[in-house]
Amino acid sequence: MDNPEMQRFLQQEQQKAMMGEMVGKLTSVCWDKCITGTPGSKFSSGETTCLTNCAQRFLDMSVLIAKRFEMQ
């Protein structure tokens, strides 16, 4: 493919898809880990803390993995 604009567009779309996949995975993993039972109108403080920590660990690991692949 010789069109740089098209290549850029395809790369951006691929990045959007990967980001959407990562958000879906993060939501699924952290929800299953942190939410017990049926949530009410608000999360408990324990659930909120768990969700925050889980999301942060997930993002930290994603960055670490991405950096590892860049090194190879």
Side-chain angles (χ1 to χ4, degrees):
M1 194 179 300
D2 293 335
N3 186 340
E5 189 173 316
M6 180 61 85
Q7 287 177 337
R8 233 182 345 269
F9 172 76
L10 290 174
Q11 186 178 26
Q12 288 172 343
E13 290 302 306
Q14 184 180 27
Q15 288 173 345
K16 286 179 192 177
M18 287 182 351
M19 188 61 110
E21 186 178 322
M22 188 168 77
V23 168
K25 180 78 171 165
L26 180 143
T27 302
S28 176
V29 167
C30 292
W31 184 272
D32 291 346
K33 177 178 174 49
C34 299
I35 306 302
T36 56
T38 305
S41 60
K42 294 173 86 176
F43 294 126
S44 71
S45 62
E47 290 170 331
T48 301
T49 300
C50 181
L51 287 169
T52 301
N53 291 338
C54 180
Q56 188 60 56
R57 280 193 308 273
F58 188 92
L59 293 174
D60 288 346
M61 287 304 298
S62 296
V63 168
L64 182 68
I65 291 168
K67 286 181 180 180
R68 267 305 250 221
F69 280 116
E70 287 176 5
M71 295 172 140
Q72 295 180 354

